[in-house]
Amino acid sequence: MHQTMEQEVKRAQQGDREAFIQLFRRLEPELYSLAKSIVGRDEDCADALQETTLKAYKGITGLRNTAYFKTWLIRILINECNQVLRMRKRTVVMAELPEQTETRGNLTHFVNSRQQDLREAVENLDESLRLVIHLCYYQDLPIKQIASVLKLSEGAVKARLHRARGVLAKQMDWKGESAIEST
């Protein structure tokens, strides 16, 4: 963690609102991306981020080790996202259909298509697998921190990563074969 971030955390703990705002703005894109991978909808991401901000602001003085600010914030966000999902289960939502593009034949489209396929495959993973993939590859957290955030052993995190990679590899090979057969 950057020395400046730790200093900002200490200032925020002492009641410096501007330091807290700077911290949150710095991490907001990563937090939004994580929230989006869990809850899916923008409005739910906004709700989860708003609650996370409020809880973090109220609880920052209780954070003992400033080096773990990001991990602490991620844990709060995950809990808030899970709360949003629990609330969502009470309502029935129609599925949103992804837009299909008709252009084919160029390399850029193929690469973009494969990236979209991978994103969709990640989003279709079981939540426990999707979360470790997101924390590892999108948030660049080391396994030790992922274990801390999810309250799992490092071995369990490694096992979930292995299982998720296997599922993704099978899905991506399957999509590749069907794309070849349909051309």
Side-chain angles (χ1 to χ4, degrees):
M1 181 172 287
H2 301 288
Q3 186 67 18
T4 58
M5 186 177 285
E6 286 187 41
Q7 290 171 345
E8 283 180 353
V9 172
K10 286 178 185 173
R11 289 195 347 250
Q13 287 179 317
Q14 295 167 355
D16 185 339
R17 277 189 195 162
E18 199 56 40
F20 181 81
I21 291 168
Q22 291 295 357
L23 281 167
F24 205 83
R25 281 190 180 146
R26 183 184 300 179
L27 296 172
E28 192 172 22
E30 294 175 52
L31 295 173
Y32 179 84
S33 177
L34 176 60
K36 182 84 170 165
S37 78
I38 298 171
V39 297
R41 298 189 321 216
D42 290 329
E43 57 272 16
D44 291 339
C45 292
D47 291 344
L49 280 171
Q50 184 175 8
E51 286 300 315
T52 299
T53 306
L54 183 61
K55 287 186 179 182
Y57 185 74
K58 287 181 176 180
I60 196 165
T61 56
L63 179 63
R64 285 181 256 158
N65 188 341
T66 57
Y68 292 112
F69 175 75
K70 182 178 176 181
T71 303
W72 175 72
L73 203 56
I74 288 172
R75 184 177 295 150
I76 294 170
L77 179 64
I78 289 170
N79 289 338
E80 290 306 314
C81 288
N82 287 334
Q83 180 65 28
V84 166
L85 290 175
R86 283 191 291 276
M87 296 299 285
R88 188 192 297 170
K89 283 184 182 177
R90 297 179 188 166
T91 61
V92 178
V93 180
M94 291 182 62
E96 297 175 6
L97 297 174
E99 292 182 20
Q100 296 290 324
T101 57
E102 293 299 321
T103 57
R104 290 207 175 243
N106 65 28
L107 182 58
T108 304
H109 175 73
F110 177 76
V111 170
N112 290 340
S113 176
R114 292 296 283 175
Q115 288 174 341
Q116 181 63 31
D117 289 347
L118 180 58
R119 270 187 246 118
E120 287 175 12
V122 169
E123 294 307 315
N124 289 328
L125 287 172
D126 178 65
E127 183 181 354
S128 63
L129 301 179
R130 184 177 65 240
L131 208 46
V132 295
I133 288 290
H134 192 85
L135 291 172
C136 183
Y137 294 105
Y138 295 100
Q139 299 294 323
D140 290 326
L141 291 181
I143 289 177
K144 187 174 185 173
Q145 276 191 319
I146 295 170
S148 173
V149 166
L150 299 178
K151 297 180 182 175
L152 296 170
S153 70
E154 289 181 37
V157 171
K158 289 177 184 177
R160 287 184 185 185
L161 279 170
H162 179 75
R163 198 169 339 127
R165 288 182 197 120
V167 170
L168 291 172
K170 284 181 185 174
Q171 287 181 356
M172 295 307 291
D173 283 344
W174 178 77
K175 286 182 183 259
E177 289 171 16
S178 65
I180 291 168
E181 291 170 5
S182 66
T183 55

